[in-house]
Amino acid sequence: MTHCVFTRLIAALIAALGAPYLFAQLPTADLSRLEPRSARAGETVEITLHGSNLEELTELRFTNPGITAKPVMLPADEFFPRPHTVGSRFVVKVAADVPPGIYDARAVGYFGLSTARPFVVAAADSKEVTEPGNNTMPGNAMSVEINSVVTGAVASRGIDWFRFTAKAGQRVLVELIAERIDSRLDGQLTVYDSAGREVDRNRDTFGRDSFLEVQAQQDGKFLLAVSDILYRGGGDHFYRLSISDRPHIDFVYPPAGEPGSTNLYTLYGRNLPGGVLDKSSRIRGHVLEKHQVEIALPKVASTPPGFHPGQPRQGLLPGFDYTFKEANSVRIGFATAPVVLETANDAVQQISVPSEVAGRFDEANDEDVFRFTTQKDQTYWVEAIADRMQSKVDPWLIVHQVAKSEDGVETLIQVADNDDMPGFFSIDGKDTINADTIDAAVSFKSVHDGEYQVTIANQFGSGGIADLYRLAIRAATPDFQLIATAEKTLPTNRTGYSVTPLLRQGARWGIRVLCPRQDGFAGDIVISAQELPPGVTATPLTLSGMTDRGILVVSASADAKSWSGEIRIVGKASVSTAAGDHELVRDARFASLVWGHIFADSIRVRSRLTERIPLSLNQHEKAPVSIDVVEDKEWTVEVGQKLEIPVKVTDISTRVGNLTIEPQGLFGILRNPPQVNIAEKDSDGTLTINFARNGNFKVEPGRYQFTLQGTGVAKYRHNYPASVRTAAEQQRIEKLATEISAAAVRAMSTVDEARKTLDVAMQNLASAADDDAKARLRPVADNAKATLDAAEVAARQAAEKVTAVEKAKTTVVSVAKAAAAKAVEKNTKFAAWSDLITVVVTEPAITREQPEPWPPSVLARLLRQAPSRELVKPSSAGGRLYTSSE
């Protein structure tokens, strides 16, 4: 075995044991990036995975079945009788019929499914090139042909330089794709002409990704600089850079249509086949082309299930992804009412309800006003959609009643306004998934048969052809969406880590569920986990009333077997509308943090939806503890009272110190939930929850479900089976090395004996008395020489084998020591959950105090004033004076 193979083997086996144990928490598999992270349709590439706890990887799974992967294997040899993996390397094959796009990839290993990372499939004819790494100065700029895609990464404090040539009048579009494929790069593009003058620069066009257009007046060369805005860099600051003159759609208008409808839509963009320049439509000074197309929308409104790079609420927006020829796809939303186009003038626009206005803020500080007739006592809902369709608009809604005097003078009376929808960002810092939106929604009840008007403004103050919004005005249309999420949050409450739920035997895991409700829908939503593997159960979670978040608990039996796959989380609710009663069924989408932590220099938290909901089991490890409520019942408490819940803790492994238990998912608690500490040697405790209304607990009557989460420290051995297995492998290889060394010693002994025999034969030959004797002794000497030669060859081979086995032993010993070191029992933080607890909160019963009896002087005065009436003692119902005849 060559030195190169040994080097690869050492790296492979050490990598198989995973990165250093970074977090003092029970480990889960975290995939941070793939290299390379793209391939053409029909292409086969070798990919290396990077991350933590990626141990004993067996699979690399993609959300498109046409993308398959096999681990890179070293063949069996005389030292290793079975083929073995080369660390975290896979050969990935993309079928020729896989559509270009982005797909999620997850690795599978000892710690189950990893977090998901994007993998880009390019068209089969895409011109893919790799940045050389030495283009860090303008003089070393990499030359790039138009219609190429460059794969690269920015170094710390670095700038990557490129050079391209554009023809006169050619619209060259430069696009940086980084954040959209989970890069940490906050990119910036800068273009210079051949004289070194800056032509244009851009950042934050598509989220944090940049996009700009270069249109030369004459043939010329341009320099392009790619950098992070703060000049950060490294392996996680990767990108795909597209330089092309292909079709690009900036937006579509109107941005929505009714399900099942067929209408004309106008595409606005650059290099559109059949497009016509529209000088009134400009973005950053560039005139757009427009092209009308007829589009038939599906009959049933839904959210596309594929990859979406935006924030979770953006990815959840129901719509239809439309693709025009070779251009990028655009999402056309499903309107909840007939679509009306904004007239784009300063007058108040009269509309009927229900309707959905497709509008835009044409200029800075623009405000649009819409007036409509209402029916008395009817409740109307007004919803603005802009941020969720990734328009750079922060809508603000103001509703006025239009009151008219007898002489016809109008007076506007403000009845409602709204800036943002209710947020889901956790105040207590224990949930850093960003499921919020800056879109607005408001409701009002009409007090008369008359007119109301809605004003919509853009709080960003900007305006332009692409500053689109949707404004729906309708009667209540009950609906909801579901987001499932899981993450680790360290004790600082500022740093979160993406995580795939991993159940150890006997463990429970709390999956957080967020439920944006539409139009004040206050019905019960029953959420269940489906398609669970054997040995896993989940009690359905009911979100009652206006409850819009909770914890769904999945539980593994004590004998559950290892498994890695996807599950479904489904919500069902019954709604009543004018058309009758019907059931709503909504599948949850899974959301996760992208970068693994919150940047100290950023107020934004980067999270996105993944395509599927992952779950894994590990049969080789046990849950540290089991948390159970002593009484399995539905609890009842009045507002203002305290609820005492007896808790029992069963230690499965060795717990160290207190176990801190607090309610999780109890609707209304904002921060600092009540806690109970179970001492190291104790097993029982009582959690007391005060249901008094205060600034930290917005208690309302209703039926609620929540779980108890315990956090503590236990003795844990990281991948203990690996230490046992590698120790056995070390014993095997050491025994083999001993045998090979002994064989080498025997081979040398054989050489010594053969040399002695040859020496004797040669001496006999030299001392032969005559030619006959020499003729008789020469064959003996020749045989002795041949025997010595063979022995020396065997000895050299044995020595080489010793050298090889010693290298193999060094590798195996190193891996075994690393595994043993990781498997040493360490104090490790963990989280555990109880099963769901149900509590019914009621208003306190109204009690009236018994009035004090009247003093005798008062009774005497009353008798003098009404001597003819029969007096009865004051009633506890109000203390009023009445006669028996009354």
Side-chain angles (χ1 to χ4, degrees):
M1 186 176 290
T2 66
H3 175 72
C4 177
V5 173
F6 270 114
T7 302
R8 290 170 59 195
L9 180 61
I10 292 173
L13 294 179
I14 292 178
L17 290 173
Y21 197 32
L22 300 176
F23 317 125
Q25 293 181 300
L26 292 181
T28 58
D30 183 23
L31 176 62
S32 61
R33 71 180 190 274
L34 303 84
E35 289 184 350
R37 58 200 59 86
S38 64
R40 299 179 186 90
E43 190 176 22
T44 299
V45 295
E46 184 176 301
I47 287 178
T48 300
L49 308 184
H50 299 265
S52 59
N53 301 317
L54 301 178
E55 304 181 22
E56 301 173 30
L57 296 181
T58 57
E59 297 179 70
L60 181 60
R61 298 179 184 175
F62 299 86
T63 49
N64 187 299
I67 311 173
T68 56
K70 293 183 178 180
V72 175
M73 305 288 288
L74 284 178
D77 56 36
E78 57 185 329
F79 303 138
F80 300 97
R82 291 184 300 273
H84 41 277
T85 59
V86 182
S88 53
R89 292 162 54 197
F90 286 83
V91 174
V92 175
K93 183 177 182 179
V94 182
D97 60 351
V98 175
I102 304 176
Y103 303 94
D104 272 334
R106 293 183 190 269
V108 184
Y110 176 81
F111 291 110
L113 278 168
S114 73
T115 46
R117 292 297 169 189
F119 182 76
V120 180
V121 174
D125 61 351
S126 178
K127 189 178 296 183
E128 302 278 321
V129 293
T130 302
E131 177 230 344
N134 62 353
N135 54 325
T136 56
M137 299 294 290
N140 296 330
M142 175 185 179
S143 182
V144 181
E145 295 181 13
I146 301 296
N147 296 322
S148 299
V149 177
V150 181
T151 298
V154 174
S156 178
R157 300 183 181 181
I159 301 175
D160 288 348
W161 291 89
F162 302 92
R163 189 187 309 277
F164 64 91
T165 301
K167 297 178 181 179
Q170 185 179 23
R171 304 191 77 163
V172 178
L173 309 178
V174 183
E175 182 174 3
L176 191 67
I177 304 171
E179 182 186 54
R180 287 171 287 176
I181 52 174
D182 290 1
S183 170
R184 296 178 188 264
L185 182 68
D186 190 350
Q188 177 174 257
L189 294 174
T190 310
V191 177
Y192 304 88
D193 63 16
S194 57
R197 294 184 295 263
E198 182 176 312
V199 175
D200 198 6
R201 70 170 57 218
N202 180 258
R203 56 179 291 250
D204 292 359
T205 294
F206 303 110
R208 295 186 177 188
D209 288 348
S210 308
F211 178 89
L212 54 77
E213 176 183 338
V214 177
Q215 190 169 10
Q217 299 300 317
Q218 55 187 6
D219 292 359
K221 295 183 178 181
F222 295 87
L223 272 175
L224 172 66
V226 177
S227 67
D228 183 87
I229 63 166
L230 296 179
Y231 296 98
R232 294 167 295 198
D236 290 338
H237 290 70
F238 51 83
Y239 59 82
R240 284 172 61 81
L241 176 68
S242 170
I243 304 175
S244 81
D245 61 1
R246 292 195 175 96
H248 174 83
I249 301 174
D250 285 274
F251 63 92
V252 59
Y253 188 82
E258 290 186 273
S261 64
T262 300
N263 292 302
L264 288 175
Y265 293 81
T266 302
L267 306 178
Y268 290 84
R270 345 276 175 111
N271 300 322
L272 297 180
V276 178
L277 285 174
D278 179 9
K279 293 185 178 180
S280 64
S281 303
R282 296 174 181 267
I283 291 182
R284 302 186 67 244
H286 296 286
V287 178
L288 299 183
E289 302 162 15
K290 65 180 182 180
H291 180 65
Q292 273 200 335
V293 292
E294 187 177 75
I295 302 175
L297 298 186
K299 294 182 179 180
V300 179
S302 63
T303 299
F307 183 91
H308 191 281
Q311 297 285 2
R313 294 290 288 277
Q314 295 171 344
L316 278 178
L317 183 67
F320 168 68
D321 287 343
Y322 173 76
T323 303
F324 176 71
K325 299 188 182 299
E326 295 181 353
N328 53 302
S329 66
V330 288
R331 181 164 296 185
I332 300 173
F334 288 111
T336 56
V339 176
V340 176
L341 301 184
E342 179 218 351
T343 56
N345 56 47
D346 295 332
V348 175
Q349 184 173 342
Q350 196 77 33
I351 61 173
S352 60
V353 292
S355 64
E356 182 167 312
V357 178
R360 63 164 56 93
F361 295 107
D362 296 284
E363 56 188 27
N365 301 315
D366 187 14
E367 292 184 356
D368 294 333
V369 183
F370 303 93
R371 185 171 292 191
F372 48 93
T373 301
T374 63
Q375 296 180 0
K376 185 178 180 180
D377 296 329
Q378 174 71 48
T379 298
Y380 296 86
W381 286 84
V382 184
E383 180 183 10
I385 300 175
D387 170 65
R388 283 172 290 167
M389 62 181 190
Q390 297 179 286
S391 177
K392 294 184 180 299
V393 168
D394 181 5
W396 179 30
L397 297 175
I398 310 172
V399 180
H400 289 94
Q401 176 194 349
V402 181
K404 294 184 180 180
S405 64
E406 293 182 359
D407 56 2
V409 177
E410 288 187 354
T411 303
L412 297 181
I413 304 171
Q414 182 172 327
V415 297
D417 74 317
N418 182 255
D419 175 11
D420 296 327
M421 288 182 169
F424 290 92
F425 196 80
S426 166
I427 293 177
D428 61 16
K430 295 178 181 178
D431 170 23
T432 54
I433 297 296
N434 185 3
D436 285 354
T437 175
I438 57 175
D439 284 343
V442 69
S443 67
F444 69 94
K445 186 174 183 180
S446 177
V447 298
H448 67 166
D449 292 329
E451 289 190 324
Y452 281 75
Q453 72 178 35
V454 172
T455 302
I456 181 170
N458 181 8
Q459 294 189 99
F460 289 152
S462 57
I465 188 70
D467 289 340
L468 305 180
Y469 64 82
R470 293 164 51 189
L471 177 66
I473 305 173
R474 58 181 179 251
T477 305
D479 208 337
F480 65 93
Q481 294 176 318
L482 291 178
I483 301 173
T485 177
E487 64 177 296
K488 292 179 183 176
T489 303
L490 297 183
T492 60
N493 289 335
R494 283 192 52 80
T495 307
Y497 295 88
S498 300
V499 63
T500 296
L502 173 62
L503 289 169
R504 288 148 171 99
Q505 287 187 337
R508 298 186 182 102
W509 190 295
I511 299 175
R512 194 179 302 272
V513 177
L514 308 178
C515 179
R517 292 174 178 259
Q518 179 173 294
D519 295 355
F521 174 51
D524 286 0
I525 302 171
V526 180
I527 299 168
S528 60
Q530 300 180 8
E531 302 177 14
L532 295 172
V536 177
T537 57
T539 302
L541 165 70
T542 300
L543 301 181
S544 300
M546 291 301 294
T547 306
D548 60 2
R549 68 202 74 192
I551 306 291
L552 180 69
V553 180
V554 290
S555 305
S557 64
D559 58 353
K561 302 302 181 184
S562 292
W563 181 86
S564 292
E566 290 82 29
I567 64 173
R568 290 179 64 205
I569 294 178
V570 179
K572 296 182 179 181
S574 297
V575 300
S576 298
T577 64
D581 296 343
H582 64 280
E583 185 180 56
L584 294 177
V585 180
R586 299 289 181 261
D587 271 63
R589 293 288 299 274
F590 194 74
S592 63
L593 289 171
V594 172
W595 289 317
H597 69 278
I598 306 169
F599 285 127
D601 59 358
S602 173
I603 62 172
R604 289 187 290 180
V605 176
R606 177 76 174 102
S607 53
R608 67 167 177 86
L609 299 177
T610 60
E611 295 186 58
R612 297 173 185 171
I613 301 176
L615 181 70
S616 295
L617 286 93
N618 186 327
Q619 71 184 56
H620 305 290
E621 297 184 1
K622 302 288 185 182
V625 302
S626 175
I627 302 172
D628 297 283
V629 175
V630 174
E631 298 180 77
D632 183 13
K633 67 176 186 178
E634 185 175 276
W635 301 78
T636 303
V637 65
E638 291 182 356
V639 175
Q641 288 186 341
K642 294 181 179 180
L643 180 65
E644 295 184 344
I645 302 177
V647 179
K648 183 175 183 60
V649 173
T650 303
D651 290 322
I652 300 173
S653 62
T654 305
R655 179 161 59 92
V656 179
N658 289 344
L659 178 69
T660 302
I661 297 176
E662 63 184 36
Q664 283 278 301
L666 178 54
F667 191 69
I669 290 184
L670 302 181
R671 58 171 68 84
N672 300 323
Q675 298 178 344
V676 58
N677 289 310
I678 311 296
E680 181 178 323
K681 301 300 182 182
D682 292 342
S683 60
D684 299 299
T686 300
L687 177 67
T688 302
I689 306 175
N690 187 354
F691 280 81
R693 290 189 177 102
N694 54 53
N696 192 46
F697 193 1
K698 307 298 184 183
V699 182
E700 293 294 339
R703 184 177 184 272
Y704 304 102
Q705 289 186 306
F706 61 98
T707 180
L708 302 182
Q709 184 189 59
T711 54
V713 175
K715 297 290 186 182
Y716 174 72
R717 307 188 77 164
H718 184 98
N719 196 353
Y720 178 69
S723 68
V724 174
R725 186 174 58 256
T726 55
E729 180 71 356
Q730 178 180 343
Q731 291 179 352
R732 183 190 70 81
I733 202 73
E734 286 177 340
K735 180 180 178 182
L736 181 61
T738 300
E739 293 172 352
I740 290 174
S741 295
V745 171
R746 291 194 297 272
M748 289 304 299
S749 240
T750 302
V751 169
D752 293 340
E753 292 296 327
R755 184 170 288 112
K756 291 177 182 179
T757 301
L758 177 60
D759 289 343
V760 171
M762 294 302 293
Q763 290 174 5
N764 292 337
L765 181 63
S767 61
D770 52 33
D771 290 341
D772 290 341
K774 286 184 179 180
R776 187 175 62 254
L777 293 174
R778 185 172 296 282
V780 175
D782 290 343
N783 287 337
K785 178 65 169 63
T787 300
L788 175 60
D789 290 344
E792 287 178 336
V793 170
R796 283 197 301 271
Q797 291 174 342
E800 291 172 354
K801 197 171 182 180
V802 168
T803 301
V805 78
E806 286 300 320
K807 289 181 179 179
K809 185 174 79 170
T810 299
T811 299
V812 172
V813 169
S814 175
V815 171
K817 284 183 178 179
K822 294 185 74 171
V824 170
E825 210 171 51
K826 298 182 179 71
N827 289 345
T828 306
K829 296 174 183 175
F830 68 87
W833 290 264
S834 74
D835 207 346
L836 287 177
I837 300 169
T838 303
V839 59
V840 176
V841 183
T842 61
E843 288 284 10
I846 299 176
T847 60
R848 300 185 184 274
E849 296 182 359
Q850 186 72 20
E852 293 292 330
W854 285 326
S857 59
V858 175
L859 286 173
R861 178 169 55 81
L862 291 172
L863 287 171
R864 288 195 299 271
Q865 292 175 351
S868 62
R869 303 194 68 177
E870 180 182 358
L871 284 176
V872 181
K873 288 185 178 180
S875 162
S876 62
R880 82 179 267 267
L881 199 63
Y882 61 95
T883 65
S884 58
S885 61
E886 293 177 313

